[in-house]
Amino acid sequence: MTQARRVVITGVGAITPIGNTAQEYLSGLKNGVSGASFISAFDTEKFKTRFACEVKNFDVNQFIDRKEARRMDRFTHFALVCADEAIKDAGLDREGSFDPDRTGVIWGSGIGGLDTFLKESVEYAKGDGTPRFNPFFIPKMIADIAPGHISIKYGFRGPNFSTVSACASSTNALIDAYIMIKLGKADVVVSGGSEAAITEAGIGGFNAMQALSTRNDSPETASRPFDKDRDGFVMGEGGACLILEELEHALARDAKIYAEVAGFGLSADAHHITAPHPDGLGAANVMRYAIQDAGLSPADIDYINVHGTSTPLGDIAEVKAIQKVFGDHVYQLNISSTKSMTGHLLGGAGAVEALATVFAICHDFVPPTINHFTDDPDLDPAINFTFNKAQQRTVRAALSNTFGFGGHNASILFKKYH
């Protein structure tokens, strides 16, 4: 692909467990807020895990017509709300600000309409076998419907599709958006991801895998990346949107620029359907590829927003990978897992964490890894995991890592725009 076309971020939007707008999310990151609490969406009495990081105080009818909202799953609600914020933030709601045929939407979701699928299946099972399904069952459920709704609402006729790679889904969406612009297939791409899996099937399914924390006595401290006593991830929901735009196109319309997208890496563990490679082989490769793609060296990186889910195996493997790639520079880095605050948004995690990484570059701070109580003897204590409090520092370039079931690894690199 040509290197002549540079890609920048010109708009952002978010709806997360620690803030229902991008600015509220930024505040939550700076202040180390925990989004975890007991689940309100359904009765959890018989579940091993009774808490999650839910989006709070969200009334979809304030944003979407009631009739239309009923025809969409919650993950699409999140997609439309954060995309609308990002589009307005970028000034793309102004007449003549974009060419419809050169503006695309690429969105990530690991599961799509899980709640819709669950409810329709349960209703069918209650009946006599007669197939009575809601005519919007399939359009509500499928993962690619979110970018479809966004394009229909705003008239974006450029590349339009969804990426599905488990927890790497929305990082893959951002990478595909970057590639489309670099290749000249679009000038602007609305990209990000959303997920709404805090349902009986979502919590029960991950409980069956023994993947979730069961710290029901202290939900707000249950997500403990890199802590000795971590016992699994905390489910989150929500989404984030970033507007990727070709630099000259952005400058021509005097758009504000948050950061530059400088490179990406993609790899596979080729190891196990759910467990990471124990030595972090795929994770090391994906970071190395991203740094090389950006034309940088490991010494140029100041911060890594790690995948850091708070699982016993995953956290160790990722740190091993970072040590392999960065050598002695690992002691000059800041590392943090914002999942300690937001929980794990599955397919939406990449976009939410990419936005945290962009904010780190814009505001020269590193969001914390909260809920650290006990050092893990298997982790080097000299590494700066940014425990418990945000830290001020100049962030010139930063990586955002996401790794998905199936061994999918994606890393995207952002840097200050000059």
Side-chain angles (χ1 to χ4, degrees), residues 293-311:
D293 188 50
L296 300 177
S297 71
D300 295 316
I301 307 302
D302 295 316
Y303 169 52
I304 305 174
N305 187 298
V306 294
H307 188 58
T309 57
S310 185
T311 57

Side-chain angles (χ1 to χ4, degrees), residues 80-378:
L80 280 167
V81 169
C82 64
D84 185 71
E85 182 186 8
I87 288 163
K88 290 175 179 174
D89 184 47
L92 293 175
D93 58 330
R94 295 194 290 267
E95 187 175 352
S97 61
F98 65 91
D99 178 348
D101 295 323
R102 301 280 300 169
T103 304
V105 186
I106 304 176
W107 205 259
S109 184
I111 301 177
L114 182 61
D115 189 50
T116 295
F117 183 83
L118 174 65
K119 288 177 178 175
E120 289 289 329
S121 299
V122 167
E123 286 302 311
Y124 173 70
K126 288 178 180 177
D128 61 2
T130 303
R132 298 185 181 92
F133 289 93
N134 188 311
F136 291 97
F137 170 32
I138 300 302
K140 286 174 69 174
M141 179 194 70
I142 52 178
D144 71 304
I145 204 67
H149 275 295
I150 294 168
S151 69
I152 290 166
K153 181 175 180 180
Y154 299 98
F156 301 144
R157 298 194 295 264
N160 187 283
F161 57 91
S162 185
T163 54
V164 179
S165 50
C167 306
S169 295
S170 53
T171 301
N172 277 119
L174 294 168
I175 289 169
D176 280 1
Y178 171 72
I179 291 171
M180 287 292 165
I181 295 172
K182 293 286 280 186
L183 287 174
K185 305 300 183 184
D187 297 321
V188 180
V189 180
V190 178
S191 188
S194 57
E195 204 80 272
I198 302 176
T199 68
E200 295 91 334
I203 298 298
F206 281 105
N207 268 155
M209 294 177 61
Q210 300 183 353
L212 294 181
S213 170
T214 56
R215 203 179 297 276
N216 294 302
D217 59 335
S218 184
E220 69 280 359
T221 69
S223 184
R224 302 183 180 191
F226 311 114
D227 188 272
K228 178 179 179 294
D229 298 319
R230 64 192 181 276
D231 71 329
F233 75 82
V234 177
M235 184 81 79
E237 66 174 2
C241 180
L242 287 78
I243 306 299
L244 281 71
E245 187 166 353
E246 193 273 326
L247 175 60
E248 295 304 320
H249 187 276
L251 294 176
R253 62 184 194 88
D254 198 28
K256 66 174 175 288
I257 295 173
Y258 286 90
E260 182 169 0
V261 187
F264 69 90
L266 298 169
S267 76
D269 277 355
H271 171 69
H272 189 272
I273 58 170
T274 57
H277 191 285
D279 295 322
L281 179 63
N285 283 342
V286 83
M287 288 184 281
R288 191 177 292 117
Y289 297 156
I291 294 167
Q292 292 171 351
D293 188 50
L296 300 177
S297 71
D300 295 316
I301 307 302
D302 295 316
Y303 169 52
I304 305 174
N305 187 298
V306 294
H307 188 58
T309 57
S310 185
T311 57
L313 295 178
D315 290 6
I316 294 287
E318 188 169 9
V319 173
K320 285 182 179 179
I322 292 168
Q323 290 172 307
K324 283 182 182 179
V325 173
F326 290 90
D328 289 342
H329 183 64
V330 73
Y331 302 112
Q332 308 303 316
L333 288 168
N334 273 77
I335 294 166
S336 75
S337 172
T338 49
K339 288 185 179 73
S340 60
M341 294 176 275
T342 65
H344 189 359
L345 274 73
L346 307 180
V352 169
E353 291 157 21
L355 179 52
T357 308
V358 168
F359 279 150
I361 290 169
C362 292
H363 298 278
D364 285 321
F365 86 106
V366 176
T369 304
I370 66 169
N371 300 328
H372 180 71
F373 303 97
T374 308
D375 289 342
D376 186 334
D378 292 327

Side-chain angles (χ1 to χ4, degrees), residues 10-34:
T10 57
V12 299
I15 179 161
T16 78
I18 62 171
N20 289 11
T21 66
Q23 286 304 307
E24 288 179 5
Y25 176 47
L26 173 60
S27 176
L29 292 172
K30 287 184 173 180
N31 291 296
V33 174
S34 172

